[in-house]
Amino acid sequence: MKRPACVVGCCLLVFLALFFYLKPPEPESMASISGKSIKIYGIADDKYQKNKNTYLLVREAGIVSGKESNKKYKVTVKLKESLKNLSEAPKIGALVTVSGKVTEFSRARNPGNFDYAKYQIIRGIDFEIYGADAAEIPEKGRIRYMDEALCLLRERLSETIDSIYKDEDAGEIKAILLGDRTELTDELKSGYRRAGMSHILCISSLHVTLIGMGLLGLIRKTGLNKTASSIIAFSLISMYGRLTGSGISTVRALITFGLMIAAEFAGRTPDLLSSMAEAAVVIMLAKPLYVLDAGFILSFSAVCGIGMLGSPLKRLIPSDSGVIGSFRTSLSVTLFMLPETLYFFYQISVFSVLINLAVIPLLSILLTFSVISVIAGELFVPLGALFGIPVKLILALYRQITRLNDGIPLSVITPGRPEIWQIVLYYAILAGLIVYTERKYKPDTLIRVLCTAFIVLGVSMLLIRMRPDISLTMVDVGQGDCHLIETGGGKTVMIDCGSRDVDNAAKYRVIPYVLSRGHDTLDY
């Protein structure tokens, strides 16, 4: 068996996917306490600032007033008053009491809507308390001083970034370096997504590998032996992962980086697919529900694309040119992730492969100068601003690319959400392509043409939409009416789009549904 880790990972993934498909996770109903004031006690697990509000994450929370229960919950707490800095909030690991009103997480009301309750279930969070007062119980709990220090360091670095960069640049740098996307505007995020550049705003393997290898090289230059320097470097990069919130892509990158160091000790070359599978197995065993998470699926699909389609595309597009190699890598990721991209976002960027040829090479420079500017800014803000000049130029270029992309007709197409059978058929065609090119090591022109035709066929099968002659959908917008009429020819008519009790009903309920149906404009 050439890659046993991949076999184990695939089997576990299929088993969990089938299990949760047959028995989907459902949140516990909090209707009996929703909107009511309660008091809980539990352990402070994290704290952060978001949209000028202060939040606590409390685990092992027991309800001591209102409807009492012996069950322990994990709760997000929105404090009544935003604190000036996080050092004023209860320490991480401390036992705390919280008093406030309960709110349940919202469910998706229409196909294509974001299911916030499902998102929180995956992360193990049961409900939210808002307008809350929180107090730390003195000398109770076990303070996690490392996590507390990292939390305060994250806040300090965020303030340093604010002092170096202007608002828009600062939000992007916080997303890229600290994993904090709360200050990104919807316009900016959607612009990056339409250009196929959303991965720029996430902590990725490139971040972890670049910073980790930089640390490893610096530590080895001090004269420490290979073992000690590797342990120190991995410990520091793991702390960086905790500093950024330990997102799925970050955890995957940390595991992969650790396996890369282990392979060096063993005198072997790390295998991309095996490392990816081992990281997936670790995450799925620790938190099985993450197989339902979009971040998990997209993160691992990107690596699968490089590992599984990279070789077939190299045989179909043979060239030693660096540009062609980058094009093949970008194309392999785009093709493999196409079903997931459509399933979660309903749209695809036509020019994303070409755009990433320009933006990816600049990302290493962006990351390097971002790190240097923030470190320098901690010492002397003008010095940090000086090192931040290349960062500002690259970010300005990125935004200009998104604007140019939006200005090109048909740069984004909206096929909508594909059916499961279309996704299965698409991957079956890709699997056939992979197997066939493995056997034909030196394909001739005819074989290349046939393989290209199969790729086009697979993409076409994924994009096709079969519609009835006419359909009428009553979209749930809360207290109000919204009717969408669709014809077999793709014409659309919307009657009303009003709601009295739901904020931004069009943005969060109607538009996502219309996009999921494969429409980005309305005819009438």
Side-chain angles (χ1 to χ4, degrees), residues 294-432:
F296 176 92
I297 295 170
L298 294 170
S299 177
F300 283 94
S301 289
V303 182
C304 284
I306 298 172
M308 298 179 72
L309 288 180
S311 180
L313 289 180
K314 187 175 183 180
R315 291 166 185 167
L316 293 176
I317 314 174
S319 175
D320 295 327
S321 167
V323 174
I324 297 299
S326 299
F327 173 79
R328 286 195 301 257
T329 300
S330 183
L331 181 61
S332 64
V333 172
T334 300
L335 286 175
F336 201 90
M337 293 181 64
L338 185 58
E340 288 92 347
T341 302
L342 288 176
Y343 189 85
F344 292 115
F345 304 113
Y346 325 126
Q347 297 178 308
I348 53 176
S349 172
V350 175
F351 303 110
S352 64
V353 174
L354 298 177
I355 288 173
N356 279 291
L357 289 179
V359 302
I360 293 296
L362 293 173
L363 185 56
S364 297
I365 301 173
L366 175 67
L367 284 172
T368 301
F369 277 94
S370 296
V371 172
I372 294 173
S373 70
V374 173
I375 293 174
E378 284 290 323
L379 303 174
F380 187 51
V381 171
L383 183 62
L386 179 65
F387 282 110
I389 292 175
V391 176
K392 297 175 184 178
L393 293 175
I394 292 174
L395 291 179
L397 176 61
Y398 282 177
R399 290 193 290 271
Q400 183 62 30
I401 289 174
T402 64
R403 286 191 287 268
L404 289 173
N405 179 71
D406 287 340
I408 300 174
L410 298 178
S411 62
V412 177
I413 59 176
T414 309
R417 174 172 284 179
E419 302 291 339
I420 296 299
W421 67 266
Q422 292 177 292
I423 296 175
V424 172
L425 180 59
Y426 178 81
Y427 279 123
I429 292 174
L430 287 190

Side-chain angles (χ1 to χ4, degrees), residues 311-318 436-449 451:
S311 180
L313 289 180
K314 187 175 183 180
R315 291 166 185 167
L316 293 176
I317 314 174
Y436 186 73
T437 53
E438 285 288 340
R439 293 183 177 180
K440 299 286 185 178
Y441 188 74
K442 294 182 178 180
D444 56 25
T445 303
L446 177 60
I447 293 173
R448 290 194 186 100
V449 171
C451 290

Side-chain angles (χ1 to χ4, degrees), residues 61-74:
I63 300 175
V64 294
S65 68
K67 181 184 177 182
E68 298 196 17
S69 171
N70 293 324
K71 183 176 178 179
K72 300 297 183 181
Y73 299 95
K74 192 172 184 180

